[in-house]
């Protein structure tokens, strides 16, 4: 285990290398100083030394498209070796290497001082080795030069280049191997070719120069050197141009490569963004798909998914897979009242809880869905018999009737269920839902938990749809006609006014009675424009009758106001506009509102009744006794009249329960200082009973059926009307204090 850091270890090896190299280098330098040939020193040596040390490093040429450099310094050192001996060559090599290394440091090149020392020592050792090799082979270079043997001269040049190459390349390769961590052989193999060319070209150039100096004088040599300098500078300029051009091309290529890389990065980024967008799109598509097939509040399948499941079952049934299935259509009862009284947030909580209860009741093969509002549907599959569906419907009704705990309070509701079985008669999934919906409405009307669909229901639903269509056209075509039923003072049997009753002159069915279309008009909202039309026509007709005779001046007309119209915000403005338009006094108009309508929301009803009362119109509570009026509210209602429902009047008998109800209502009205009108008087017996109980006014077939306006004209002209109903001595006699149980009326 070696705890020494790799960098520290490398530095230690370099130090050892320097220690090993230093003695040889210093010995070489000492040898050159000791043996320096002073007798050979002349102007030529001075010039050669100055050029070699100070200028040769600048005279460097890199061969184009290679890493090979041709330098004049090696040639000059070899030249000094040939002319002045090895001692001079070693000294010039040391000085040139030192100056060049220090010049590089001055120019900003990072060269450690230790590296400079190693370079100097390598130059000294390699030059000394070359001198020793030449001395060993030839004795001295001067001997070879004097011999004039060109072959020997070439061998001398080789003897200088080879030792210089071998010693220098091995020492440099060893040092670089230590610094880079590579093998000596690997570094030498990369470096040897450059060094070989560099040293052999330097030796060849030195040999040429030496031959030139031997054959010409110094001045001619200077001229030749000048020519070579010009050639060198020209070539250097050429190589610099080539290098700059190559550099530009390389930079352009690098720029194109960088641009290509940038395009690649942009393309990769674009592809990544596309992939991200694709993932986001897939997630959005899945969310949209989920939203398209699921209810947002409960998370249950919605109508779309329910229909898809039904279509799949129908398709399987058509291929021979006889799997019985049934659709249960559910609607919560009185949910609208819950929403209006407790708020929509509580209503939403209840819808969620209902959906959860239903989900817990079905099997994995079944399906529970929520359509809208308080409507749910259940798809039951793989059924054995009808009884199983009926049992399930009963369980659902029982489960939903259990209390719901919402915001700390218990809330009760119930459900109406329509059932339709999937059979081969159905071609479309919507038809099954339609029939289950029809059965559900039938269950709601008959107040049953569930009803199984049959064809008569569909026929009835189609008839209602046709009737609704005809009803909408009837308003536009003004197919309605008002009939008027007289209201009579029971004391003197004088006419007090009329109740306006609507009839529909259907183009194909003839006269349609109100009970066949009024409820439909209320459920569809047609009742509002219909009532406006009735009110305007009745007021206009009464104003016309009042202008006919002074006897008619105090007559009033009663018009029924539906519960839906009673809540309409524009009702007050409509009443005022109609009274102004028709010219009828407000006191001549009485609006009849059912007991159930005003008790649905008593506080709101009181506010609306006060607004109606402010117009001057009188108000009557119709069908009194059939609802659930609270006495605490009744005395607060700004009303004028109570109308006793015909169901009580028609069954009055001595001592009967209904008779007691009538007596109680009359007594209550007297206590509240209200007028009383009895509906449905059909016999003299009923008339006598009501007179003796103190009932002030009445209407019914005993006096007249509802008549069209033309017949009323005749009735108004008949001053002896109803005189034959009672004996003369009975007129003006009303036993208001008589006990009902003691009445004895003539036959």
């Amino acid at each position: 285990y070696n705890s020494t850091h790799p960098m520290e270890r490398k530095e230690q090896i370099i130090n050892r290398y320097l220690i090993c190299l230093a003695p040889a280098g210093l010995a070489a330098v000492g040898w050159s100083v000791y043996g320096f040939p002073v007798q050979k020193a002349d102007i030529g040596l001075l010039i050669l030394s100055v050029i070699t040390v100070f200028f040769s490093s600048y005279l460097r040429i890199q061969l184009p498209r290679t890493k090979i450099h041709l330098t004049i310094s090696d040639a000059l050192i070899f030249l000094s070796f040939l002319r002045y001996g090895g001692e001079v060559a070693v000294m010039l090599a040391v000085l040139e290497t030192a100056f060049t290394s220090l010049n590089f440091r001055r120019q900003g090149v990072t060269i450690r001082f230790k590296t400079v020392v190693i370079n100097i020592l390598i130059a000294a050792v390699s030059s000394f080795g070359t001198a020793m090799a030449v001395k060993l082979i030839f004795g001295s270079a001067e001997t070879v030069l004097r011999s004039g043997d060109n072959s020997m001269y070439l061998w001398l040049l080789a003897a200088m280049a080879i030792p210089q190459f071998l010693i220098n390349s091995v020492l440099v390769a060893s040092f670089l191997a230590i610094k880079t961590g590579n093998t000596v052989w690997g570094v030498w193999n990369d470096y040897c070719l450059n060094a070989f060319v560099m040293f052999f070209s330097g030796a060849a150039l030195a040999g040429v120069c030496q031959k030139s100096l031997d054959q010409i004088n110094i001045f001619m040599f200077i001229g030749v050197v000048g020519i070579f300098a010009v050639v060198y500078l020209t070539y250097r300029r050429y190589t610099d141009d080539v290098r700059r051009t190559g550099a530009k091309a390389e930079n352009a290529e690098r720029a194109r490569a960088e641009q290509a890389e940038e395009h690649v990065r942009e393309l990769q980024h674009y592809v990544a963004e596309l992939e991200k967008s694709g993932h986001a799109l897939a997630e959005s598509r899945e969310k949209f798909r989920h939203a398209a097939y699921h209810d947002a509040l409960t998370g249950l399948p919605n109508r779309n998914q329910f229909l898809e499941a039904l279509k799949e079952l129908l398709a399987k049934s058509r291929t021979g897979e006889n799997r019985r299935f049934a659709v249960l259509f559910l609607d919560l009862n009185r949910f609208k009242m819950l929403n209006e009284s407790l708020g929509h947030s509580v209503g939403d909580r209840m819808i969620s809880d209902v959906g959860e209860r239903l989900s817990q009741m079905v099997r994995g093969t079944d399906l529970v869905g929520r359509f809208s509002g308080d409507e749910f549907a259940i798809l039951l599959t793989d059924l054995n018999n009808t009884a199983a569906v009926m049992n399930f419907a009963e369980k659902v009704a029982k489960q939903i009737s259990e209390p719901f705990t919402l915001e700390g309070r218990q809330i009760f509701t119930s459900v109406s269920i329509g059932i339709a079985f999937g059979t081969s008669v159905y071609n479309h999934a919507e038809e099954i839902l339609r029939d289950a919906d029809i059965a559900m409405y039938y269950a709601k009307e008959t107040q049953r938990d569930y009803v199984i669909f049959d064809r008569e229901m569909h026929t009835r639903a189609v008839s209602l749809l046709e009737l609704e269509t005809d009803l909408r056209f009837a308003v536009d075509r003004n197919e309605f006609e008002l009939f008027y039923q007289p209201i009579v003072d029971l004391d003197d049997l004088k006419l007090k006014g009329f109740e306006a009753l609507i009839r529909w002159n259907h183009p194909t069915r003839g006269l349609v009675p109100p009970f066949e279309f009024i409820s439909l008009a209320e459920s569809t909202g047609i009742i509002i424009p219909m009532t406006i039309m009735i009110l305007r026509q009745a007021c206009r007709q009464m104003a016309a009758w009042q202008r006919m005779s002074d006897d008619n001046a105090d007559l009033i007309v009663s018009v029924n106001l539906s519960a839906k119209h009673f809540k309409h915000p524009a009702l007050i403005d409509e009443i005022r506009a109609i009274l102004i338009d028709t010219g009828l006094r407000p006191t001549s108009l009485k609006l009849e509102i059912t007991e159930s309508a005003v008790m649905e929301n008593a506080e709101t009803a009181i506010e609306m009744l006060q607004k109606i009362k402010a117009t001057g119109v009188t108000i009557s509570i119709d069908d009194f006794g059939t609802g659930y009026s609270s006495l605490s509210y009744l005395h607060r209602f700004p009303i004028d009249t109570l109308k006793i429902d015909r169901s009580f009047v028609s069954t009055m008998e001595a001592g009967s329960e209904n008779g007691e109800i009538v007596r109680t209502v009359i007594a209550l009205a007297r206590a509240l200082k209200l007028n009383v009108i009895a509906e449905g008087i059909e016999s003299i017996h009923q008339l006598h009973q009501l007179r003796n109980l103190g009932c002030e006014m009445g209407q019914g077939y005993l006096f007249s059926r509802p008549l069209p306006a033309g017949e009323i004209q005749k009735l108004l002209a008949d001053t002896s009307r109803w005189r034959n109903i009672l004996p003369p001595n009975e007129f003006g006699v009303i036993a208001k204090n008589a006990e009902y149980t003691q009445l004895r009326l003539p036959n």
Side-chain angles (χ1 to χ4, degrees):
Y1 178 79
N2 188 359
S3 61
T4 305
H5 192 275
M7 293 299 294
E8 295 178 355
R9 181 174 177 79
K10 183 186 296 184
E11 194 66 25
Q12 291 176 358
I13 297 175
I14 293 175
N15 291 335
R16 293 171 186 171
Y17 178 80
L18 178 60
I19 292 171
C20 294
L21 185 63
L26 292 174
V29 172
W31 173 79
S32 67
V33 172
Y34 179 79
F36 186 81
V38 179
Q39 69 278 8
K40 293 183 179 181
D42 57 8
I43 187 64
L45 177 59
L46 178 62
I47 295 172
L48 181 62
S49 299
V50 171
I51 294 174
T52 302
V53 174
F54 298 107
F55 298 102
S56 63
S57 61
Y58 299 104
L59 303 176
R60 181 188 302 269
I61 300 175
Q62 180 181 0
L63 296 180
R65 302 183 183 278
T66 69
K67 296 181 180 180
I68 299 175
H69 291 78
L70 298 180
T71 175
I72 197 67
S73 62
D74 296 316
L76 293 175
I77 291 171
F78 283 133
L79 180 61
S80 66
F81 186 88
L82 292 173
R83 293 189 65 82
Y84 300 103
E87 294 83 357
V88 174
V90 171
M91 188 171 291
L92 290 181
V94 169
L95 294 175
E96 188 272 335
T97 302
F99 178 80
T100 302
S101 299
L102 293 175
N103 190 40
F104 282 160
R105 283 173 60 89
R106 184 180 60 80
Q107 293 175 1
V109 180
T110 303
I111 300 178
R112 298 173 61 192
F113 183 74
K114 189 181 295 186
T115 303
V116 173
V117 173
I118 291 175
N119 287 338
I120 294 172
L121 294 175
I122 291 174
V125 171
S126 61
S127 298
F128 176 76
T130 301
M132 292 299 103
V134 170
K135 187 174 183 180
L136 180 63
I137 298 172
F138 300 102
S140 68
E142 187 178 359
T143 304
V144 176
L145 292 174
R146 281 198 301 266
S147 67
D149 189 346
N150 290 330
S151 298
M152 189 69 82
Y153 186 64
L154 292 176
W155 282 110
L156 173 62
L157 296 178
M160 290 191 301
I162 292 173
Q164 185 80 358
F165 160 66
L166 291 174
I167 297 171
N168 188 282
S169 62
V170 170
L171 292 176
V172 171
S174 299
F175 178 62
L176 292 178
I178 295 171
K179 291 185 65 176
T180 60
N182 296 326
T183 63
V184 175
W185 169 253
V187 175
W188 186 84
N189 189 42
D190 293 336
Y191 176 73
C192 67
L193 178 60
N194 295 347
F196 179 81
V197 174
M198 182 173 60
F199 289 120
F200 271 83
S201 61
L205 183 59
V208 172
C209 291
Q210 176 60 33
K211 283 291 185 180
S212 300
L213 288 172
D214 288 342
Q215 297 176 6
I216 60 177
N217 58 35
I218 187 63
F219 299 104
M220 185 176 292
F221 174 75
I222 293 173
V224 172
V225 170
I227 294 173
F228 272 106
V230 172
V231 173
Y232 166 77
L233 292 175
T234 304
Y235 181 76
R236 179 68 179 267
R237 184 176 180 181
Y238 167 73
T239 56
D240 289 343
D241 289 341
V242 172
R243 187 183 300 108
R244 283 194 296 269
T245 303
K248 289 181 180 179
E250 185 178 353
N251 291 334
E253 187 67 26
R254 186 182 297 110
R256 284 194 295 270
E258 291 176 354
Q259 187 175 13
E261 290 178 359
E262 182 64 24
H263 287 327
V264 170
R265 285 194 295 270
E266 291 179 358
L267 183 60
Q268 290 174 343
H269 177 71
Y270 179 70
V271 171
E273 289 297 321
L274 282 180
E275 291 178 353
K276 189 185 299 182
S277 300
H279 291 313
L281 183 61
E283 291 178 1
S284 299
R285 188 184 296 112
E286 185 60 29
K287 289 180 180 178
F288 279 125
R289 185 183 181 281
H290 187 274
Y293 285 94
H294 290 82
D295 173 54
L297 177 60
T298 62
L300 295 173
N302 60 9
R303 187 185 187 91
N304 294 332
Q305 186 173 349
F306 205 90
L307 285 173
E308 290 295 327
L310 275 178
K311 290 176 183 177
E312 185 176 347
L313 286 175
L314 284 176
K316 288 181 178 179
S317 65
R318 283 193 288 269
T319 58
E321 297 184 31
N322 189 19
R323 295 182 178 179
R324 294 195 64 191
F325 63 92
V327 173
L328 282 68
F329 202 97
L330 293 76
D331 185 86
L332 299 181
N333 299 322
R334 301 184 303 279
F335 179 74
K336 182 180 179 182
M337 183 178 66
L338 170 69
N339 247 355
E340 292 176 351
S341 58
L342 299 181
H344 290 282
S345 60
V346 176
D348 289 345
R349 284 279 310 281
M350 187 169 187
I351 290 296
S352 298
D353 290 351
V354 169
E356 187 174 348
R357 287 190 185 183
L358 294 176
S359 299
Q360 293 173 354
M361 295 183 66
V362 298
R363 302 164 300 176
T365 57
D366 301 330
L367 185 67
V368 177
R370 182 202 175 207
F371 288 178
S372 63
D374 58 339
E375 292 181 345
F376 292 84
I378 300 175
L379 178 60
L380 300 178
T381 60
D382 296 329
L383 300 176
N384 295 325
N385 49 57
T386 304
V389 180
M390 297 170 63
N391 291 334
F392 179 79
E394 291 176 356
K395 290 179 181 178
V396 169
K398 183 179 180 181
Q399 186 70 20
I400 299 301
S401 64
E402 295 293 326
F404 292 85
T405 302
L406 302 174
E407 295 188 354
R409 70 176 71 188
Q410 287 192 327
I411 298 174
F412 292 85
T413 188
S414 58
V415 66
S416 299
I417 305 172
I419 303 173
F421 288 92
T423 62
S424 57
V425 299
Y426 292 111
N427 295 318
H428 303 286
E430 291 83 354
E431 297 173 351
I432 306 177
L433 282 181
R434 176 203 64 198
D435 290 349
D437 192 13
I438 292 172
M440 182 273 294
Y441 276 107
Y442 196 85
K444 193 177 285 288
E445 289 177 6
T446 57
Q447 298 183 353
R448 293 156 62 182
D449 289 339
Y450 67 89
V451 167
I452 298 176
F453 174 80
D454 59 39
R455 286 295 153 193
E456 292 181 1
M457 295 179 190
H458 182 256
T459 303
R460 179 172 173 266
V462 172
S463 299
L464 284 175
L465 182 61
E466 293 175 351
L467 188 64
E468 178 185 344
T469 303
D470 293 344
L471 192 59
R472 293 184 184 277
F473 284 119
V475 175
D476 297 333
R477 297 169 181 170
N478 196 19
E479 295 177 354
F480 298 104
E481 181 182 358
L482 285 185
F483 279 50
Y484 299 88
Q485 186 172 34
I487 299 174
V488 179
D489 188 324
L490 299 186
D491 186 10
D492 54 13
L493 299 187
K494 289 184 177 180
L495 181 66
K496 300 296 290 183
F498 301 95
E499 179 180 2
L501 301 170
I502 191 170
R503 299 293 186 269
W504 179 11
N505 285 318
H506 194 279
T508 58
R509 297 175 57 183
L511 205 62
V512 181
F515 67 86
E516 290 191 22
F517 64 88
I518 289 297
S519 60
L520 180 61
E522 288 182 344
S523 63
T524 57
I526 301 175
I527 192 67
I528 294 178
M530 185 188 301
T531 303
I532 296 298
M533 183 192 66
I534 295 170
L535 192 59
R536 186 180 302 277
Q537 185 176 340
C539 290
R540 184 179 290 112
Q541 183 64 68
M542 178 53 67
W545 285 336
Q546 288 179 344
R547 290 192 295 268
M548 287 175 55
S549 171
D550 292 339
D551 295 335
N552 302 337
D554 295 329
L555 294 179
I556 63 171
V557 61
S558 295
V559 178
N560 291 284
L561 195 65
S562 70
K564 180 166 288 190
H565 203 172
F566 179 64
K567 301 174 185 176
H568 200 273
L571 175 62
I572 305 302
D573 293 336
E574 291 168 346
I575 292 173
R576 289 197 178 101
I578 289 173
L579 291 174
I580 293 172
D581 182 52
T582 59
L584 183 69
R585 297 192 309 271
T587 54
S588 297
L589 174 63
K590 178 179 288 186
L591 295 179
E592 296 189 6
I593 306 165
T594 62
E595 182 184 11
S596 58
V598 296
M599 288 307 301
E600 185 174 340
N601 191 328
E603 293 295 339
T604 304
I606 291 173
E607 182 180 354
M608 180 59 77
L609 290 172
Q610 289 173 343
K611 292 179 180 179
I612 295 175
K613 192 72 174 176
T615 64
V617 172
T618 57
I619 302 172
S620 174
I621 298 297
D622 195 12
D623 299 336
F624 188 78
T626 60
Y628 303 94
S629 293
S630 171
L631 294 180
S632 62
Y633 281 108
L634 188 60
H635 79 279
R636 294 174 57 193
F637 289 150
I639 58 177
D640 303 283
T641 305
L642 293 181
K643 290 191 76 172
I644 303 174
D645 187 68
R646 67 181 69 250
S647 61
F648 299 115
V649 174
S650 63
T651 57
M652 277 197 315
E653 294 178 2
S656 69
E657 181 180 339
N658 284 344
E660 289 296 329
I661 292 175
V662 172
R663 186 171 67 85
T664 302
V665 171
I666 294 173
L668 176 63
R670 188 180 298 121
L672 296 176
K673 298 180 180 180
L674 302 175
N675 298 323
V676 181
I677 299 177
E679 292 183 308
I681 303 175
E682 298 183 358
S683 66
I684 296 177
H685 178 68
Q686 294 168 352
L687 173 62
H688 275 286
Q689 289 175 314
L690 292 168
R691 280 162 57 94
N692 281 283
L693 289 174
C695 183
E696 298 170 335
M697 289 174 284
Q699 64 186 89
Y701 283 3
L702 178 63
F703 305 110
S704 174
R705 292 175 176 272
L707 300 174
E711 296 293 326
I712 296 297
Q713 297 281 104
K714 299 177 183 178
L715 187 145
L716 291 173
D718 183 8
T719 56
S720 63
R721 56 185 178 267
W722 308 311
R723 291 291 179 176
N724 59 343
I725 293 178
L726 292 176
N729 60 346
E730 290 291 333
F731 284 101
V733 181
I734 297 180
K736 294 183 179 180
N737 296 323
E739 291 293 335
Y740 180 73
T741 55
Q742 297 177 351
L743 288 179
R744 295 292 184 269
L745 298 177
N747 294 331

